[in-house]
Amino acid sequence: MTNVQVRLRAVEKVFPGGVEAVAAMDLDLAPGRVTALLGPTGCGKSTLLRLIGGVETPTAGSIEIDPLPQIGFCFQEPRLLPWRNVRRNVALPLELARASRETCRREADRRLEMVGLGDAAEFLPAALSGGMRMRAAVARAFIADPTLLLLDEPFAALDEVTRLRLDEEVAALVRKRSITVLLVTHSIAEAVFLADEVVVLSPRPARILDRFEIPFGERNAALRGHEEFAALQSRIYNVLLAGMEATS
Amino acid sequence: MTNVQVRLRAVEKVFPGGVEAVAAMDLDLAPGRVTALLGPTGCGKSTLLRLIGGVETPTAGSIEIDPLPQIGFCFQEPRLLPWRNVRRNVALPLELARASRETCRREADRRLEMVGLGDAAEFLPAALSGGMRMRAAVARAFIADPTLLLLDEPFAALDEVTRLRLDEEVAALVRKRSITVLLVTHSIAEAVFLADEVVVLSPRPARILDRFEIPFGERNAALRGHEEFAALQSRIYNVLLAGMEATS
Amino acid sequence: MKYPRIIWNSVWPPAVVVLILLSLWHLAVVLFSIPEFLLPTPWSVLERIYDQWPRLIAATGRTATATLLGFGLSAVIGIVSGSLLSLVPLARRGVYPLTLLLQMVPLVAIAPMLVIWFGYGLPSVIAAACIVSVFPVIAGTLDGLQSVDAGLAEMFRIHRAGRIRTWWSLGLPWSLPSVFTGLRIAAGLAVIGAIVGEFVGAFGGDQAPLGAVITSALKQNQTSTVFAAVTLAAMLGFALFGFVNLAGWLLLGRWHESAR
Amino acid sequence: MKYPRIIWNSVWPPAVVVLILLSLWHLAVVLFSIPEFLLPTPWSVLERIYDQWPRLIAATGRTATATLLGFGLSAVIGIVSGSLLSLVPLARRGVYPLTLLLQMVPLVAIAPMLVIWFGYGLPSVIAAACIVSVFPVIAGTLDGLQSVDAGLAEMFRIHRAGRIRTWWSLGLPWSLPSVFTGLRIAAGLAVIGAIVGEFVGAFGGDQAPLGAVITSALKQNQTSTVFAAVTLAAMLGFALFGFVNLAGWLLLGRWHESAR
Amino acid sequence: ADAESGKKDAGLRTITLQLNWFPEPEFGGFYAAKERGIFEKAGFDVQLIKGGADVPAPQLVASGSVDFAVVSAPQLVTIRARGGKATAVFATFQKAPRAMIVKRGSPFTTLKELWESESTVMAQDGLVFIRWLNKIYDGSKLSFVPYAGSNTPFVEGKVAAMQAFATAEPVQLEVDGVMTRVYMVGETGYNPYDGVVAVNDALLKAEPELVARFTAAVRAGWESYLAEPEPINKVIGGLNPDLKSSVLKLAGSKLRPFIESEGTRSNGLGWMTDGRWNDLLSQLQSVGEITKAETGSIGRIFVNPSTKSSGGS
Ligand SMILES: Nc1ncnc2c1ncn2[C@@H]1O[C@H](COP(=O)(O)OP(=O)(O)OP(=O)(O)O)[C@@H](O)[C@H]1O
Ligand SMILES: Nc1ncnc2c1ncn2[C@@H]1O[C@H](COP(=O)(O)OP(=O)(O)OP(=O)(O)O)[C@@H](O)[C@H]1O
Ligand SMILES: [Mg+2]
Ligand SMILES: [Mg+2]
């Protein structure tokens, strides 16, 4: 498996209206590593992901991605096609990559099982709860064996039990396949649990306030009881808080 | 201020497709009290709120609300009108209640200030981040001085700092005005912090697993350090976990 | 809902309204003693339909053939060219306004060309029905494709879906409601297009379709025959409209608000 | 973008295409030596427009008046009745299919009634333009209103918004894109409706509108005059279409995908 | 027509006359009466309303939307049969100008030969004279296509023959370089009046004297036109710029034999007889245009202009 390297240099994004969302951002996503982005609401995290995903162009700076990645993108909203049932929504990226109908179905069912939606495969999106929609979106992000995974608050709409379970699932998966991951989350615990590095951003326009290397190896449920786990969380919280108080 | 009493008796909701979302639910929302609903994803919480809000009819059982409330509803999705700017979106309930243009504007700006969107008042929803949209929706839920407030995961898309700040804001507001509140949240900490009673639901179809009376009076930041605060959280977590493991 | 139920439910309300309108019409004719040459009573129109049944049903059959083929062509050409116009932005800006020409040129003005290029009879009439009804399909398709949700389009771009794939899997289903708005409008236009096409390009006499029956009866001041033929043309139009609605319901019913 | 820029940008691409088409047309006429009475060269059509400028411009003015008034009526009646039909579900099922009649009854069949009820000249022609063009507006409005997002409708219900309020604050803005699809189609139909109305509506006064110029020139085999009149009618249609597009852009530009 | 309406300042009575076609020499007498002040002298301000391809002139006069209209005799019969209220007061064309034309090189030497061949003919099969021809000849092999205003299909050879007004289409085709042979339908025994001025019955009943005065003016107009058509043709040419001047001239010169007849020489232009109208009624009945019952219901269909020779004073 090729590992994807992402390099942002002095990336800036100013929206047509004049809103500056990202300011002079340098960021490296190391191959096979999980980077978590934490930052205040509206600071520019989603914009950054969309810049890396290539659906928004930076107004300055450069973004290099090498080699050409297979992107798995979980947007902040579920973005399901209302006329497709859950299975066919999840299978979409495979379908677009011209996989056979059989493969689509099998892989989709496998991912749905992973996110606990096995028995909702035939539902239309309109018949899903908010959390179920997001889980379908997560399943879709994983289906095409991505080499670069961009996740925008994928688990924000889930209850804590399911969320922890999925955190562990994802942790195992990305490590096994050494996918390059950029994860936006508002849960500091989740960031610490999943990431190799946590990047804390300032309020808009997003600047990097601090980075935290997460020293844990294996990620499993036991980690959450670890003392350093809690310590790291509160250090990160304080950086975030300080950043927000500095500007307001 | 009249306090609204809500009484659910043996309420059941089966969707046309045959999906049973709520099963034989008895629930009382006491006037002026905050009730938090916790439950696994897809269990039927939103459905329950929509039943109480009167936009979905129960297939069995009865829902009494007395007196006729002024409902403030924050849906799980922002549901903003794409052609209105944030201020006019927030003002919508007042507008529908025939308030003057002046009042609409003033009140909207006040709520926007409360949720920290003061400087985004002129933005169209398309130019907002996910968290900003949800905050606009929260501001809208509060604008018409509701006597019954139904909040469906209002702060799920917010960073922890903002979320805590808004929790405190809401706690102060609802207690001051003694609004009857039903809050769906996935954050156990938030539930305990805000609610007078926490109701834990089973996986679909939603049944009440347990209720927790929250013994705290005044709610403020200091509470979070309280020992019983942490203890309650973990008791609730265990009930939730047990409920989910029982069915899976 | 089962199909027969749906069809029944969409048939009885207009049927009731039609009956009411017919009664009013009859009353008006009688009360204001409107002369027959201007507006016959519904009853005499019915009588005429009964009298001339063999001739009228044959005429209706001919018009129906032209209408259906013209409408079918419109649907295909409209959806395809609407899609092409949306795929190529410059073509959209350059060519789309011109497709409006099809709708604005009076058929009588191009009738000579029509009959010389397509020949008298069915081909000309099909061409007329298609020319008159294709623009709404183009406009419906194009407007639908232009309003595809930006978020969903973004998702397709991230997955590097080609234009054709995006059109097929996103644009087309997304636009269906709007395509069906166009098709509903085209249904009525195809009927009138065929009739007007028959005014200028169809054989008369024994081979007369409804359009020819109408002009011939107009010349004879047989207003009740005119109305009889118009009634049958309207029936044809309603049938086509109903068919389009049913197709729309089948395609959209499961997921789109408009089909509830 | 500034307005002049927008107008310019939406004018030059079709202008270029028109020039290309005109060249092809000219070439075709010359190469296949198509006789003038069948298809004149664009050049002789231009010449004719120049020759007969006073007559044609006066005719265009008359037709334009009827078209604009007919279109305006269509827009108002279409939006209002589309909205009423959507507010009253039984009316929708009962009356909506029947509005299709307007589009399907050939004007010649009701010409005497038109003239007798609406009066000579302008009023009849306005009525014709309106009859022919109102259905697409009704269909566009209704289809738009029927597909209002269920979640937003729910929000309005929770706030106990009345039907009218919901229509005004939610339904109408939501349907605007689809109303504009209808208006775009209606623009072309209003032109042809006016012209066909002029075929059947008798005219007092000395000067004929475009429809009368077309039939009269057709009768005399003055094909280049026919095309000159058709060209001016088309210009009128394009202007109206452009105006509808501009209005759509102004109303939707800030928030709707289709206006990007 | 309401007796109160339309008193003009000069004391002129406003009258509307609906023509059934574009301004052409066929209406020369009416334009002459207007241009040369004959109407005005008779106390009328006449509005000549231009017609066109699909203008429903018979319906308009029969319903009273206009005071007078120019229609064909069979149209007047059928509209009366269906409840229309209009009466003929002047018959411009004594001899029916309706005709079938073929190109000069056509293999058909007689109308019968054409009619019994397997050709395509450009004619509205609802027209009475077509039905008449179908009755007297065996037209079962013939195909009909509509005449939608343009004679291009005829010129292009898409059809073997087309319907015509003897004073219009042949002339125009000749000017365009297509020579034709004309078969007059009138010569087959079906020879109704044409260019008939019909008046709405209500007006006739209320003010017969006014109608008589109007008819006299029309007659004077036609006399004046036939005496000196050129200036009036110019006026008509101005009203109908599509009409080539050569067509105008030629057509104008062909009118006289259709307008004058034995009857008009003794009784004045526009004269009608019971015999001719009754012939028409029985012919219409025989082709199924009207039923026997309808024939009975038609009643008085014409009122002749006064026998005194013209003057309009
Ligand atoms: N319109 C519908 N038709 C059929 N089933 C539905 C419909 N709406 C919801 N459901 C089903 O009802 C169940 C409960 O949905 P609901 O939205 O109430 O869940 P929830 O508790 O709010 O979940 P979440 O925490 O994910 O928001 C789900 O299993 C869902 O599939
Ligand atoms: N299309 C747009 N036009 C103008 N401004 C925009 C647009 N999209 C986003 N913005 C602005 O850019 C800023 C960053 O938005 P973004 O969605 O990246 O925030 P975020 O960090 O993802 O926030 P959240 O945590 O709430 O999702 C916001 O202030 C927003 O108002
Ligand atoms: Mg975001
Ligand atoms: Mg929910």
Side-chain angles (χ1 to χ4, degrees):
Chain A
M1 177 141 298
T2 52
N3 296 333
V4 173
Q5 164 84 42
V6 179
R7 208 189 327 262
L8 275 70
R9 289 292 171 269
V11 167
E12 224 179 82
K13 175 70 191 181
V14 183
F15 281 105
V19 174
E20 191 182 0
V22 177
M25 174 77 63
D26 289 322
L27 187 65
D28 288 273
L29 303 188
R33 270 165 61 102
V34 179
T35 309
L37 278 181
L38 276 171
T41 167
C43 76
K45 304 178 293 299
S46 299
T47 305
L48 197 60
L49 253 65
R50 285 147 41 84
L51 285 167
I52 296 172
V55 285
E56 200 81 79
T57 43
T59 35
S62 70
I63 300 177
E64 281 166 38
I65 305 183
D66 185 60
L68 196 68
Q70 170 74 38
I71 299 182
F73 203 131
C74 178
F75 299 90
Q76 199 168 357
E77 318 84 42
R79 301 202 181 168
L80 303 174
L81 303 178
W83 52 85
R84 287 190 170 214
N85 66 21
V86 172
R87 180 187 291 123
R88 297 199 56 229
N89 258 297
V90 170
L92 184 71
L94 275 187
E95 238 186 88
L96 292 178
R98 297 205 173 65
S100 74
R101 189 177 284 250
E102 185 39 48
T103 319
C104 285
R105 195 189 163 94
R106 193 185 57 236
E107 292 296 306
D109 282 345
R110 200 154 67 87
R111 309 301 167 168
L112 284 173
E113 220 52 71
M114 173 182 106
V115 298
L117 278 182
D119 47 3
E122 311 276 349
F123 288 20
L124 285 178
L128 298 188
S129 78
M132 291 162 86
R133 283 181 208 161
M134 273 318 290
R135 283 185 279 154
V138 171
R140 185 178 58 194
F142 275 94
I143 200 171
D145 286 330
T147 53
L148 173 60
L149 195 53
L150 304 170
L151 301 172
D152 201 347
E153 309 186 29
F155 303 135
L158 300 185
D159 63 277
E160 294 199 6
V161 177
T162 309
R163 185 168 191 158
L164 294 186
R165 200 175 63 69
L166 284 182
D167 278 351
E168 286 155 31
E169 199 95 46
V170 169
L173 203 70
V174 299
R175 261 151 237 284
K176 194 170 71 190
R177 302 190 159 259
S178 66
I179 309 174
T180 308
V181 181
L182 183 58
L183 166 79
V184 172
T185 177
H186 285 312
S187 159
I188 302 176
E190 186 173 83
V192 175
F193 182 82
L194 278 176
D196 298 297
E197 185 182 23
V198 173
V199 175
V200 182
L201 302 177
S202 72
R204 185 171 67 77
R207 278 175 222 279
I208 294 176
L209 286 179
D210 209 344
R211 301 154 180 270
F212 296 83
E213 195 66 28
I214 308 297
F216 312 122
E218 189 73 354
R219 311 292 163 118
N220 52 38
L223 194 63
R224 297 184 209 271
H226 207 291
E227 201 167 292
E228 213 182 322
F229 190 81
L232 257 171
Q233 278 189 59
S234 71
R235 273 172 58 206
I236 293 173
Y237 181 83
N238 288 330
V239 171
L240 189 64
L241 183 63
M244 290 174 71
E245 280 171 350
T247 48
S248 67
Chain B
M1 176 141 301
T2 52
N3 296 334
V4 173
Q5 163 85 42
V6 179
R7 208 189 326 263
L8 275 69
R9 288 293 172 268
V11 167
E12 223 179 82
K13 176 69 190 180
V14 182
F15 281 104
V19 174
E20 192 180 0
V22 178
M25 175 77 62
D26 288 323
L27 187 67
D28 288 275
L29 303 187
R33 270 165 60 101
V34 179
T35 310
L37 276 183
L38 275 171
T41 166
C43 77
K45 304 178 294 299
S46 300
T47 305
L48 197 61
L49 252 67
R50 286 147 41 86
L51 285 166
I52 296 172
V55 286
E56 198 82 78
T57 43
T59 35
S62 70
I63 300 177
E64 282 167 35
I65 304 183
D66 186 58
L68 196 69
Q70 171 73 37
I71 298 183
F73 204 131
C74 178
F75 300 90
Q76 197 167 358
E77 317 82 44
R79 300 201 181 170
L80 303 174
L81 302 179
W83 53 86
R84 288 190 169 216
N85 66 21
V86 171
R87 179 187 292 123
R88 297 200 55 230
N89 258 298
V90 170
L92 184 72
L94 274 187
E95 239 187 86
L96 293 177
R98 297 206 173 63
S100 74
R101 189 176 285 249
E102 186 39 49
T103 319
C104 285
R105 194 189 162 93
R106 194 185 57 237
E107 292 297 304
D109 282 344
R110 200 154 67 86
R111 309 302 166 166
L112 282 174
E113 220 51 73
M114 172 183 106
V115 298
L117 278 182
D119 45 5
E122 311 276 348
F123 288 20
L124 285 179
L128 299 187
S129 78
M132 291 162 86
R133 284 181 206 160
M134 273 318 291
R135 281 184 282 154
V138 171
R140 184 179 58 193
F142 275 94
I143 199 169
D145 285 331
T147 54
L148 174 59
L149 194 54
L150 304 169
L151 301 173
D152 201 348
E153 309 186 30
F155 304 136
L158 300 185
D159 64 276
E160 295 198 6
V161 177
T162 310
R163 185 168 192 158
L164 294 185
R165 199 176 63 68
L166 284 182
D167 278 350
E168 285 155 32
E169 198 95 46
V170 169
L173 203 70
V174 299
R175 259 150 239 283
K176 192 169 74 194
R177 303 189 159 259
S178 65
I179 308 173
T180 308
V181 181
L182 184 57
L183 166 79
V184 172
T185 177
H186 286 310
S187 158
I188 301 176
E190 185 173 83
V192 175
F193 182 83
L194 277 176
D196 298 296
E197 185 182 24
V198 174
V199 176
V200 183
L201 300 178
S202 71
R204 184 173 67 78
R207 277 174 222 281
I208 295 176
L209 286 180
D210 210 343
R211 300 154 179 273
F212 296 83
E213 195 67 28
I214 308 296
F216 312 122
E218 190 74 354
R219 311 292 162 120
N220 51 37
L223 194 63
R224 297 185 210 271
H226 209 289
E227 201 166 293
E228 213 181 323
F229 189 81
L232 258 171
Q233 277 189 58
S234 71
R235 271 173 59 207
I236 293 174
Y237 179 82
N238 288 329
V239 171
L240 189 64
L241 183 63
M244 290 175 72
E245 279 171 351
T247 48
S248 65
Chain C
M1 278 206 283
K2 303 239 183 68
Y3 295 171
R5 185 72 189 284
I6 283 159
I7 293 175
W8 170 241
N9 274 341
S10 65
V11 162
W12 77 257
V16 168
V17 176
V18 164
L19 281 182
I20 295 172
L21 288 182
L22 288 182
S23 316
L24 289 179
W25 170 4
H26 192 95
L27 265 179
V29 171
V30 172
L31 281 183
F32 304 115
S33 47
I34 299 177
E36 156 135 16
F37 73 89
L38 207 54
L39 187 63
T41 60
W43 184 247
S44 66
V45 173
L46 256 181
E47 247 176 15
R48 199 47 51 104
I49 294 181
Y50 179 79
D51 282 0
Q52 310 216 355
W53 185 246
R55 175 188 178 213
L56 287 176
I57 191 68
T60 308
R62 292 184 193 102
T63 303
T65 310
T67 303
L68 292 182
L69 290 174
F71 176 79
L73 270 180
S74 272
V76 173
I77 296 176
I79 294 174
V80 169
S81 54
S83 303
L84 287 178
L85 291 177
S86 145
L87 286 174
V88 189
L90 202 64
R92 189 182 91 232
R93 292 201 286 148
V95 179
Y96 176 42
L98 298 181
T99 58
L100 191 63
L101 266 177
L102 292 169
Q103 196 151 49
M104 291 191 306
V105 174
L107 280 180
V108 289
I110 53 164
M113 279 186 279
L114 219 52
V115 296
I116 282 161
W117 290 340
F118 293 102
Y120 277 107
L122 198 57
S124 281
V125 178
I126 293 174
C130 176
I131 287 175
V132 167
S133 65
V134 74
F135 180 76
V137 188
I138 298 179
T141 307
L142 188 54
D143 289 357
L145 288 171
Q146 293 300 108
S147 22
V148 166
D149 182 78
L152 294 177
E154 205 170 275
M155 187 183 71
F156 274 74
R157 252 180 295 142
I158 281 194
H159 290 115
R160 297 200 204 92
R163 289 177 161 206
I164 307 288
R165 257 333 277 267
T166 306
W167 168 78
W168 174 250
S169 300
L170 174 62
L172 201 59
W174 180 273
S175 326
L176 275 185
S178 154
V179 170
F180 270 95
T181 300
L183 288 176
R184 265 185 276 269
I185 298 167
L189 287 178
V191 175
I192 189 71
I195 301 250
V196 175
E198 288 161 359
F199 288 172
V200 299
F203 288 109
D206 291 342
Q207 316 164 58
L210 289 175
V213 169
I214 291 172
T215 32
S216 148
L218 270 174
K219 281 277 177 296
Q220 297 172 258
N221 281 328
Q222 293 184 340
T223 318
S224 53
T225 307
V226 173
F227 274 77
V230 167
T231 305
L232 289 172
M235 292 294 167
L236 180 59
F238 289 137
L240 188 54
F241 183 75
F243 166 79
V244 171
N245 274 341
L246 187 66
W249 184 86
L250 288 177
L251 274 169
L252 301 176
R254 284 165 56 250
W255 63 274
H256 196 258
E257 271 85 359
S258 71
R260 295 228 171 105
Chain D
M1 279 206 282
K2 303 241 183 65
Y3 296 170
R5 184 72 190 285
I6 282 160
I7 293 174
W8 169 241
N9 273 341
S10 66
V11 162
W12 76 256
V16 169
V17 176
V18 163
L19 281 182
I20 295 172
L21 287 181
L22 289 182
S23 316
L24 288 179
W25 169 5
H26 193 93
L27 265 179
V29 171
V30 172
L31 281 183
F32 304 115
S33 45
I34 299 176
E36 158 113 21
F37 58 79
L38 189 57
L39 186 63
T41 60
W43 184 247
S44 65
V45 173
L46 256 182
E47 248 176 14
R48 198 50 49 104
I49 294 180
Y50 180 80
D51 282 359
Q52 309 217 354
W53 183 247
R55 174 192 183 208
L56 287 175
I57 191 67
T60 308
R62 288 190 186 85
T63 303
T65 311
T67 303
L68 292 182
L69 291 174
F71 176 79
L73 271 180
S74 271
V76 173
I77 296 177
I79 293 173
V80 169
S81 53
S83 303
L84 288 178
L85 290 178
S86 143
L87 287 174
V88 189
L90 201 64
R92 189 183 90 232
R93 292 201 285 148
V95 179
Y96 176 43
L98 298 181
T99 58
L100 190 64
L101 265 177
L102 292 169
Q103 196 151 49
M104 291 193 305
V105 174
L107 282 180
V108 289
I110 53 166
M113 280 184 278
L114 269 185
V115 178
I116 287 162
W117 290 342
F118 294 102
Y120 266 104
L122 198 59
S124 283
V125 178
I126 293 174
C130 176
I131 287 175
V132 167
S133 64
V134 75
F135 180 76
V137 188
I138 298 180
T141 308
L142 188 54
D143 288 358
L145 288 171
Q146 293 299 110
S147 23
V148 166
D149 182 77
L152 294 176
E154 206 172 275
M155 187 183 72
F156 274 74
R157 252 180 295 142
I158 281 191
H159 291 114
R160 298 201 204 88
R163 288 178 163 207
I164 307 288
R165 257 334 277 267
T166 306
W167 168 78
W168 174 251
S169 300
L170 174 61
L172 202 58
W174 180 273
S175 328
L176 275 186
S178 152
V179 170
F180 271 94
T181 300
L183 288 176
R184 264 185 277 269
I185 298 168
L189 286 178
V191 175
I192 189 72
I195 296 219
V196 174
E198 289 162 356
F199 290 170
V200 301
F203 277 93
D206 282 340
Q207 271 171 337
L210 288 176
V213 170
I214 289 172
T215 35
S216 131
L218 202 60
K219 186 66 210 190
Q220 305 299 332
N221 264 12
Q222 306 271 18
T223 317
S224 53
T225 308
V226 173
F227 274 77
V230 168
T231 303
L232 289 172
M235 293 292 167
L236 180 58
F238 289 137
L240 188 54
F241 182 76
F243 167 79
V244 171
N245 273 342
L246 187 66
W249 184 85
L250 288 177
L251 274 170
L252 301 176
R254 284 166 54 252
W255 63 272
H256 197 259
E257 271 85 359
S258 71
R260 295 233 168 102
Chain E
D2 167 7
E4 293 294 305
S5 74
K7 298 265 196 234
K8 257 196 140 182
D9 37 329
L12 293 182
R13 171 68 176 269
T14 301
I15 289 290
T16 45
L17 170 58
Q18 172 70 58
L19 307 180
N20 59 352
W21 201 248
F22 303 101
E24 283 190 351
E26 283 83 359
F27 303 120
F30 308 110
Y31 283 103
K34 187 171 170 76
E35 285 302 314
R36 294 178 174 155
I38 297 169
F39 281 143
E40 206 172 319
K41 233 187 286 165
F44 298 114
D45 169 34
V46 177
Q47 245 182 295
L48 294 176
I49 305 169
K50 283 196 269 187
D54 295 311
V55 172
Q59 283 88 343
L60 292 173
V61 67
S63 61
S65 299
V66 294
D67 301 321
F68 294 88
V70 177
V71 300
S72 76
Q75 273 177 336
L76 186 65
V77 174
T78 50
I79 204 101
R80 277 191 79 90
R82 269 129 223 158
K85 301 270 181 273
T87 303
V89 291
F90 187 91
T92 309
F93 296 111
Q94 298 288 311
K95 187 173 145 198
R98 309 280 164 160
M100 292 302 301
I101 57 176
V102 295
K103 284 196 192 164
R104 191 149 291 175
S106 157
F108 304 111
T109 54
T110 63
L111 187 49
K112 183 174 193 313
E113 221 171 273
L114 165 68
W115 217 256
E116 299 189 340
S117 73
E118 220 170 298
S119 340
T120 301
V121 164
M122 189 157 76
Q124 200 46 256
D125 65 345
L127 286 171
V128 178
F129 78 87
I130 299 292
R131 295 161 66 88
W132 167 259
L133 290 176
N134 270 332
K135 183 178 142 50
I136 60 171
Y137 304 134
D138 172 19
S140 59
K141 282 180 291 180
L142 219 48
S143 297
F144 292 95
V145 296
Y147 181 31
S150 161
N151 53 31
T152 300
F154 177 74
V155 177
E156 283 288 281
K158 284 270 155 185
V159 297
M162 67 179 278
Q163 73 181 55
F165 220 72
T167 58
E169 284 88 352
V171 174
Q172 188 221 323
L173 284 164
E174 189 182 329
V175 168
D176 287 345
V178 181
M179 303 309 281
T180 58
R181 277 205 304 269
V182 180
Y183 298 119
M184 297 305 301
V185 176
E187 287 160 10
T188 65
Y190 172 74
N191 190 20
Y193 296 121
D194 216 323
V196 171
V197 178
V199 64
N200 181 262
D201 280 356
L203 181 60
L204 179 62
K205 190 151 172 266
E207 299 180 74
E209 168 275 335
L210 175 144
V211 173
R213 199 149 42 91
F214 182 78
T215 340
V218 167
R219 175 182 283 172
W222 273 109
E223 282 165 354
S224 152
Y225 175 76
L226 288 179
E228 202 194 351
E230 288 309 322
I232 301 303
N233 283 344
K234 275 214 190 67
V235 172
I236 293 174
L239 291 173
N240 187 350
D242 302 309
L243 215 51
K244 293 175 187 143
S245 55
S246 40
V247 173
L248 256 174
K249 206 168 154 192
L250 254 175
S253 69
K254 293 201 170 181
L255 284 174
R256 188 181 286 272
F258 290 95
I259 292 171
E260 292 180 343
S261 69
E262 287 302 329
T264 63
R265 270 189 275 282
S266 43
N267 300 303
L269 292 182
W271 188 258
M272 296 168 281
T273 67
D274 274 318
R276 292 277 304 274
W277 278 108
N278 287 336
D279 282 351
L280 177 61
L281 285 185
S282 58
Q283 282 169 338
L284 288 181
Q285 201 182 316
S286 75
V287 298
E289 198 72 13
I290 49 174
T291 62
K292 201 166 157 55
E294 282 173 337
T295 313
S297 74
I298 281 175
R300 186 182 66 161
I301 195 165
F302 77 99
V303 172
N304 257 323
S306 69
T307 41
K308 290 180 295 174
S309 202
S310 68
S313 47

